[in-house]
Amino acid sequence: MTPPTPSEERRTVVVVGAGPAGLTVANILRAASVDCVVLETESRQFIETRPRAGVIEEWAVRGLRQRGLADGLSAGAQTHDEFEFRFGGECFRFDYGEMTGRHHYVYPQPLLVTDLVREYADVRGGDIRFAVRDVRTHDLETDRPAVSYVDPATGRRHVLRCEFVAGCDGARGVTRDSIPDGRVRIARHDYGIGWLALLAEAPPSSDCVLFGVHPDGFAGHMARGPEVTRYYLQCPPGDDPENWPHERVWTELRERLGAAGTPPLREGRLIEKRVLDMHNYVVEPMVFGRLFLAGDAGHLTAPIAAKGMNLALHDAFLLGDAIAARVTEDDDSGLRGYSHASLRRVWDYQEFSEFLSGIYHGTASGDPFLAGTSLARLRRLFTSPAAAAAFAEQYLGSAAAF
Ligand code: RFL
């Protein structure tokens, strides 16, 4: 039996993926009255509850505000302006707020995604199709590319013929893989390290972010709200989360974050426990024909420096504005400069992530030379005001010239 002919629809922009990048692009297009449709393989409920990032930089919040996308964030976010290294049983507080007058916002990614979906679909009346299957791209090098998917309700393939495809489908999506070999360069870096990412149903154990630098491995503590706290424990890459029962997790956290004169950690049930292998990649350029990659689809930064969602938002601002200018004013300068403009910030953040990894992981590397240099790097932050100021700028993502 011949398969039924796929149905075809004409649209202007197809956005693949409803994460922070895709939803922000879609909201910008919708506000500029540019026709678009968002395709997402998961359900709305799933993406609105998937725990991930939390730390958002000031410029990113300003960008969301300017586009009318930060009401929930402005009402619900906390701010952070200092952190503490815990090392050798002592605390070293780094007050970057005092130093710079700036801070981070902390707003869980699922809340931001919920706000962005609501604004796009419910307020701005945008078209979003959840739980689509087997998404494929077509004819990307022509001026009438297409994206097709299998409709979960009918089981039939549906084709969206369009002018632009925004590939915002994250690290495991299909748009990056649809670029033929050799047409873009993919730079990769593997840290050879795993992090056990944990969410504990417990109030924060400190009034600030904690980074434990310990011979057994890195440990981190970050508030995510009054009743939920994120913790990280360095572990071997590919480790099985089942190797980390409740008692072992809290024993290691107490050991690696322990310091004289600090209150005990506030323990709670572990509601998320997964191993992240720390690796990065960057796709250059982030464009192939009429496909424009944005966010994790175009570059992955291991969560060492909490930069991934910020980069996704940066791309989305650039790409959303650029497509809107091209469609509404026939101005293609933004699209021509998109990849270059995005990659400047991407490489800057990759470099900082690499630098920070040296501090976090050097003492546990088993290499006494690396341990020595990483401690020198750490000490310098507390002895050299110039080094501290440079670090604060990178940590905040506040350097002006991107
Ligand atoms: P996302 O969020 O992965 O969204 C991609 C969406 O595409 C869907 N999808 C598809 N849709 C259609 N067709 C397909 N074939 C598809 N394949 C996938 C997916 O279901 C999903 O809904 O990518 P985006 O928008 O680029 O956003 C990137 C951020 O999510 C990511 O960089 C951050 O979460 C990274 N990150 C952090 N970033 C920060 O800036 N600050 C942080 O504090 C921070 N903490 C973290 C993090 C990432 C973590 N994990 C889980 C890797 C903490 C953790 C634990």
Side-chain angles (χ1 to χ4, degrees):
M1 208 173 77
T2 41
T5 319
S7 52
E8 187 162 314
E9 195 182 333
R10 290 209 156 220
R11 305 301 295 254
T12 307
V13 183
V14 178
V15 177
V16 185
L23 290 166
T24 304
V25 168
N27 269 297
I28 294 171
L29 295 177
R30 196 74 201 144
S33 302
V34 174
D35 168 63
C36 75
V37 52
V38 180
L39 298 180
E40 167 60 51
T41 42
E42 302 290 349
S43 67
R44 180 168 182 169
Q45 201 247 341
F46 182 87
I47 64 164
E48 290 183 347
T49 49
R50 176 171 46 197
R52 277 197 178 171
V55 181
I56 314 183
E57 298 176 352
E58 280 186 6
W59 61 264
V61 171
R62 272 197 305 277
L64 289 167
R65 277 201 186 119
Q66 280 160 9
R67 293 164 178 86
L69 300 174
D71 290 354
L73 193 155
S74 299
Q78 300 175 359
T79 58
H80 278 184
D81 55 10
E82 54 186 341
F83 67 79
E84 208 166 87
F85 278 116
R86 292 196 172 172
F87 167 70
E90 285 186 73
C91 302
F92 301 86
R93 201 162 264 237
F94 192 84
D95 191 343
Y96 58 93
E98 167 91 8
M99 203 179 293
T100 63
R102 295 172 186 271
H103 56 77
H104 285 108
Y105 289 85
V106 178
Y107 192 60
Q109 184 167 332
L111 296 186
L112 181 65
V113 166
T114 302
D115 296 348
L116 292 173
V117 176
R118 188 188 305 120
E119 183 65 29
Y120 173 71
D122 306 339
V123 179
R124 300 185 187 183
D127 183 349
I128 180 163
R129 303 179 190 179
F130 291 103
V132 298
R133 300 201 315 260
D134 195 15
V135 176
R136 296 180 192 169
T137 61
H138 312 270
D139 309 327
L140 293 173
E141 287 191 282
T142 71
D143 57 7
R144 295 306 278 166
V147 180
S148 71
Y149 65 94
V150 172
D151 182 328
T154 63
R156 291 191 58 191
R157 182 159 292 279
H158 188 69
V159 179
L160 297 161
R161 183 75 47 197
C162 59
E163 290 176 36
F164 302 99
V165 179
C168 306
D169 47 348
R172 295 196 182 84
V174 295
T175 57
R176 184 181 61 257
D177 289 345
S178 66
I179 302 175
D181 282 350
R183 301 298 297 276
V184 289
R185 186 181 75 168
I186 305 187
R188 297 180 194 278
H189 177 64
D190 189 345
Y191 291 94
I193 282 166
W195 276 16
L196 183 68
L198 304 153
L199 275 179
E201 221 169 39
S205 295
S206 162
D207 61 350
C208 71
V209 169
L210 305 177
F211 300 127
V213 176
H214 192 276
D216 290 352
F218 169 78
H221 157 281
M222 285 127 218
R224 283 288 184 266
E227 296 304 330
V228 177
T229 305
R230 187 173 272 299
Y231 287 94
Y232 292 113
L233 278 171
Q234 183 183 338
C235 64
D239 203 356
D240 183 347
E242 292 310 310
N243 292 337
W244 291 88
H246 182 95
E247 212 29 68
R248 183 179 178 205
V249 164
W250 289 105
T251 304
E252 281 296 322
L253 285 171
R254 279 193 298 269
E255 173 66 28
R256 300 186 197 180
L257 291 170
T262 57
L265 298 185
R266 301 170 80 173
E267 298 186 16
R269 194 166 69 92
L270 298 168
I271 50 176
E272 189 202 33
K273 198 164 59 168
R274 48 189 296 221
V275 171
L276 308 174
D277 290 341
M278 297 287 125
H279 65 102
N280 300 333
Y281 59 75
V282 180
V283 179
E284 287 183 301
M286 288 164 56
V287 181
F288 174 69
R290 289 290 183 104
L291 167 68
F292 295 82
L293 300 176
D296 281 7
H299 41 77
L300 189 73
T301 356
I304 292 170
K307 297 292 193 187
M309 185 165 72
N310 291 284
L311 289 175
L313 293 172
H314 183 241
D315 287 354
F317 300 152
L318 292 170
L319 184 58
D321 291 348
I323 296 178
R326 168 68 173 73
V327 173
T328 60
E329 298 161 36
D330 204 23
D331 171 1
D332 69 355
S333 57
L335 281 181
R336 276 190 282 110
Y338 167 67
S339 179
H340 181 72
S342 162
L343 288 168
R344 284 172 68 101
R345 190 180 283 270
V346 168
W347 279 117
D348 193 71
Y349 283 19
Q350 294 284 14
E351 190 282 330
F352 180 61
S353 188
E354 174 80 12
F355 171 88
L356 202 53
S357 170
I359 294 183
Y360 287 171
H361 305 124
T363 45
S365 65
D367 175 340
F369 187 84
L370 266 188
T373 53
S374 71
L375 284 184
R377 210 177 261 190
L378 180 56
R379 268 196 310 271
R380 194 183 300 138
L381 299 182
F382 296 92
T383 52
S384 159
F391 182 92
E393 186 177 78
Q394 299 264 245
Y395 188 66
L396 283 156
S398 60
F402 278 110

mmCIF file of all heavy atoms in Angstrom, residues 250-272:
data_model
loop_
_atom_site.group_PDB
_atom_site.id
_atom_site.type_symbol
_atom_site.label_atom_id
_atom_site.label_comp_id
_atom_site.label_asym_id
_atom_site.label_seq_id
_atom_site.Cartn_x
_atom_site.Cartn_y
_atom_site.Cartn_z
ATOM 1 N N TRP A 250 24.604 12.715 50.990
ATOM 2 C CA TRP A 250 24.697 13.729 52.059
ATOM 3 C C TRP A 250 26.029 13.646 52.796
ATOM 4 O O TRP A 250 26.572 14.672 53.223
ATOM 5 C CB TRP A 250 23.491 13.634 53.004
ATOM 6 C CG TRP A 250 22.252 14.123 52.314
ATOM 7 C CD1 TRP A 250 21.233 13.368 51.816
ATOM 8 C CD2 TRP A 250 21.942 15.491 51.979
ATOM 9 N NE1 TRP A 250 20.301 14.165 51.189
ATOM 10 C CE2 TRP A 250 20.696 15.473 51.279
ATOM 11 C CE3 TRP A 250 22.565 16.714 52.186
ATOM 12 C CZ2 TRP A 250 20.084 16.639 50.800
ATOM 13 C CZ3 TRP A 250 21.961 17.875 51.718
ATOM 14 C CH2 TRP A 250 20.734 17.829 51.027
ATOM 15 N N THR A 251 26.612 12.429 52.911
ATOM 16 C CA THR A 251 27.936 12.314 53.532
ATOM 17 C C THR A 251 28.969 13.067 52.698
ATOM 18 O O THR A 251 29.792 13.833 53.217
ATOM 19 C CB THR A 251 28.338 10.815 53.651
ATOM 20 O OG1 THR A 251 27.316 10.146 54.365
ATOM 21 C CG2 THR A 251 29.665 10.640 54.355
ATOM 22 N N GLU A 252 28.920 12.869 51.375
ATOM 23 C CA GLU A 252 29.895 13.543 50.496
ATOM 24 C C GLU A 252 29.673 15.059 50.487
ATOM 25 O O GLU A 252 30.631 15.827 50.465
ATOM 26 C CB GLU A 252 29.784 13.001 49.064
ATOM 27 C CG GLU A 252 30.466 11.669 48.864
ATOM 28 C CD GLU A 252 31.980 11.721 49.076
ATOM 29 O OE1 GLU A 252 32.625 12.716 48.699
ATOM 30 O OE2 GLU A 252 32.513 10.753 49.654
ATOM 31 N N LEU A 253 28.404 15.468 50.469
ATOM 32 C CA LEU A 253 28.144 16.919 50.476
ATOM 33 C C LEU A 253 28.672 17.545 51.761
ATOM 34 O O LEU A 253 29.299 18.611 51.743
ATOM 35 C CB LEU A 253 26.641 17.202 50.315
ATOM 36 C CG LEU A 253 26.071 16.997 48.907
ATOM 37 C CD1 LEU A 253 24.539 17.093 48.925
ATOM 38 C CD2 LEU A 253 26.641 18.038 47.927
ATOM 39 N N ARG A 254 28.431 16.859 52.892
ATOM 40 C CA ARG A 254 28.916 17.396 54.175
ATOM 41 C C ARG A 254 30.431 17.501 54.165
ATOM 42 O O ARG A 254 31.010 18.483 54.608
ATOM 43 C CB ARG A 254 28.449 16.499 55.334
ATOM 44 C CG ARG A 254 27.019 16.759 55.782
ATOM 45 C CD ARG A 254 26.730 16.068 57.123
ATOM 46 N NE ARG A 254 26.857 14.620 57.048
ATOM 47 C CZ ARG A 254 25.850 13.780 56.756
ATOM 48 N NH1 ARG A 254 24.644 14.241 56.515
ATOM 49 N NH2 ARG A 254 26.053 12.482 56.712
ATOM 50 N N GLU A 255 31.078 16.485 53.612
ATOM 51 C CA GLU A 255 32.542 16.456 53.584
ATOM 52 C C GLU A 255 33.094 17.565 52.675
ATOM 53 O O GLU A 255 33.971 18.332 53.054
ATOM 54 C CB GLU A 255 32.981 15.064 53.081
ATOM 55 C CG GLU A 255 34.461 14.887 52.825
ATOM 56 C CD GLU A 255 35.306 14.973 54.088
ATOM 57 O OE1 GLU A 255 34.770 14.651 55.164
ATOM 58 O OE2 GLU A 255 36.490 15.389 53.986
ATOM 59 N N ARG A 256 32.550 17.648 51.463
ATOM 60 C CA ARG A 256 33.141 18.561 50.471
ATOM 61 C C ARG A 256 32.744 20.020 50.698
ATOM 62 O O ARG A 256 33.427 20.927 50.232
ATOM 63 C CB ARG A 256 32.737 18.135 49.063
ATOM 64 C CG ARG A 256 33.197 16.724 48.713
ATOM 65 C CD ARG A 256 32.901 16.420 47.255
ATOM 66 N NE ARG A 256 32.951 14.992 46.962
ATOM 67 C CZ ARG A 256 32.736 14.466 45.772
ATOM 68 N NH1 ARG A 256 32.447 15.274 44.757
ATOM 69 N NH2 ARG A 256 32.784 13.168 45.574
ATOM 70 N N LEU A 257 31.613 20.243 51.377
ATOM 71 C CA LEU A 257 31.190 21.636 51.627
ATOM 72 C C LEU A 257 31.444 22.055 53.080
ATOM 73 O O LEU A 257 31.101 23.164 53.474
ATOM 74 C CB LEU A 257 29.697 21.808 51.300
ATOM 75 C CG LEU A 257 29.318 21.717 49.817
ATOM 76 C CD1 LEU A 257 27.802 21.654 49.637
ATOM 77 C CD2 LEU A 257 29.877 22.907 49.037
ATOM 78 N N GLY A 258 32.060 21.161 53.846
ATOM 79 C CA GLY A 258 32.271 21.436 55.272
ATOM 80 C C GLY A 258 33.306 22.537 55.486
ATOM 81 O O GLY A 258 34.286 22.629 54.757
ATOM 82 N N ALA A 259 33.072 23.392 56.452
ATOM 83 C CA ALA A 259 34.047 24.432 56.805
ATOM 84 C C ALA A 259 33.792 24.858 58.235
ATOM 85 O O ALA A 259 32.645 24.818 58.712
ATOM 86 C CB ALA A 259 33.926 25.632 55.875
ATOM 87 N N ALA A 260 34.863 25.283 58.890
ATOM 88 C CA ALA A 260 34.761 25.652 60.306
ATOM 89 C C ALA A 260 33.740 26.776 60.497
ATOM 90 O O ALA A 260 33.674 27.722 59.703
ATOM 91 C CB ALA A 260 36.134 26.126 60.791
ATOM 92 N N GLY A 261 32.913 26.642 61.518
ATOM 93 C CA GLY A 261 32.000 27.716 61.897
ATOM 94 C C GLY A 261 30.770 27.826 61.021
ATOM 95 O O GLY A 261 30.033 28.810 61.117
ATOM 96 N N THR A 262 30.542 26.847 60.134
ATOM 97 C CA THR A 262 29.347 26.940 59.278
ATOM 98 C C THR A 262 28.267 26.005 59.814
ATOM 99 O O THR A 262 28.580 24.947 60.365
ATOM 100 C CB THR A 262 29.667 26.573 57.813
ATOM 101 O OG1 THR A 262 30.221 25.247 57.785
ATOM 102 C CG2 THR A 262 30.649 27.544 57.209
ATOM 103 N N PRO A 263 26.986 26.358 59.646
ATOM 104 C CA PRO A 263 25.918 25.490 60.138
ATOM 105 C C PRO A 263 25.842 24.212 59.304
ATOM 106 O O PRO A 263 26.307 24.196 58.153
ATOM 107 C CB PRO A 263 24.643 26.326 59.942
ATOM 108 C CG PRO A 263 24.995 27.346 58.920
ATOM 109 C CD PRO A 263 26.472 27.564 58.996
ATOM 110 N N PRO A 264 25.272 23.131 59.868
ATOM 111 C CA PRO A 264 25.171 21.883 59.090
ATOM 112 C C PRO A 264 24.260 22.069 57.875
ATOM 113 O O PRO A 264 23.404 22.949 57.862
ATOM 114 C CB PRO A 264 24.550 20.889 60.094
ATOM 115 C CG PRO A 264 23.979 21.711 61.191
ATOM 116 C CD PRO A 264 24.677 23.029 61.197
ATOM 117 N N LEU A 265 24.484 21.230 56.860
ATOM 118 C CA LEU A 265 23.616 21.295 55.675
ATOM 119 C C LEU A 265 22.204 20.899 56.066
ATOM 120 O O LEU A 265 22.003 20.033 56.916
ATOM 121 C CB LEU A 265 24.122 20.334 54.589
ATOM 122 C CG LEU A 265 25.514 20.596 54.026
ATOM 123 C CD1 LEU A 265 25.810 19.620 52.882
ATOM 124 C CD2 LEU A 265 25.664 22.034 53.544
ATOM 125 N N ARG A 266 21.233 21.524 55.405
ATOM 126 C CA ARG A 266 19.829 21.190 55.677
ATOM 127 C C ARG A 266 19.408 20.113 54.674
ATOM 128 O O ARG A 266 19.256 20.387 53.489
ATOM 129 C CB ARG A 266 18.984 22.450 55.568
ATOM 130 C CG ARG A 266 19.487 23.493 56.569
ATOM 131 C CD ARG A 266 18.861 24.818 56.365
ATOM 132 N NE ARG A 266 17.532 24.851 56.947
ATOM 133 C CZ ARG A 266 16.799 25.973 57.014
ATOM 134 N NH1 ARG A 266 17.271 27.111 56.547
ATOM 135 N NH2 ARG A 266 15.595 25.954 57.542
ATOM 136 N N GLU A 267 19.288 18.912 55.189
ATOM 137 C CA GLU A 267 19.059 17.761 54.310
ATOM 138 C C GLU A 267 17.592 17.625 53.931
ATOM 139 O O GLU A 267 16.716 18.124 54.625
ATOM 140 C CB GLU A 267 19.525 16.477 55.007
ATOM 141 C CG GLU A 267 21.004 16.506 55.299
ATOM 142 C CD GLU A 267 21.517 15.203 55.863
ATOM 143 O OE1 GLU A 267 20.802 14.170 55.749
ATOM 144 O OE2 GLU A 267 22.635 15.214 56.406
ATOM 145 N N GLY A 268 17.346 16.930 52.833
ATOM 146 C CA GLY A 268 15.968 16.673 52.409
ATOM 147 C C GLY A 268 15.951 15.574 51.363
ATOM 148 O O GLY A 268 17.003 15.128 50.891
ATOM 149 N N ARG A 269 14.749 15.167 51.000
ATOM 150 C CA ARG A 269 14.566 14.120 49.995
ATOM 151 C C ARG A 269 15.156 14.579 48.658
ATOM 152 O O ARG A 269 15.007 15.742 48.275
ATOM 153 C CB ARG A 269 13.060 13.854 49.834
ATOM 154 C CG ARG A 269 12.702 12.604 49.095
ATOM 155 C CD ARG A 269 11.220 12.306 49.321
ATOM 156 N NE ARG A 269 10.374 13.300 48.662
ATOM 157 C CZ ARG A 269 9.890 13.179 47.425
ATOM 158 N NH1 ARG A 269 10.149 12.093 46.717
ATOM 159 N NH2 ARG A 269 9.128 14.116 46.889
ATOM 160 N N LEU A 270 15.816 13.655 47.954
ATOM 161 C CA LEU A 270 16.402 14.007 46.658
ATOM 162 C C LEU A 270 15.365 13.765 45.570
ATOM 163 O O LEU A 270 14.961 12.615 45.337
ATOM 164 C CB LEU A 270 17.668 13.180 46.412
ATOM 165 C CG LEU A 270 18.770 13.432 47.457
ATOM 166 C CD1 LEU A 270 19.880 12.403 47.347
ATOM 167 C CD2 LEU A 270 19.332 14.850 47.338
ATOM 168 N N ILE A 271 14.925 14.844 44.930
ATOM 169 C CA ILE A 271 13.837 14.696 43.952
ATOM 170 C C ILE A 271 14.366 14.653 42.523
ATOM 171 O O ILE A 271 13.642 14.365 41.599
ATOM 172 C CB ILE A 271 12.767 15.805 44.101
ATOM 173 C CG1 ILE A 271 13.422 17.189 44.143
ATOM 174 C CG2 ILE A 271 11.911 15.571 45.332
ATOM 175 C CD1 ILE A 271 12.415 18.334 44.193
ATOM 176 N N GLU A 272 15.653 14.954 42.340
ATOM 177 C CA GLU A 272 16.272 14.726 41.026
ATOM 178 C C GLU A 272 17.691 14.255 41.285
ATOM 179 O O GLU A 272 18.383 14.777 42.160
ATOM 180 C CB GLU A 272 16.319 16.013 40.186
ATOM 181 C CG GLU A 272 16.754 15.735 38.753
ATOM 182 C CD GLU A 272 17.331 16.933 38.001
ATOM 183 O OE1 GLU A 272 17.978 17.794 38.623
ATOM 184 O OE2 GLU A 272 17.148 16.997 36.794
#
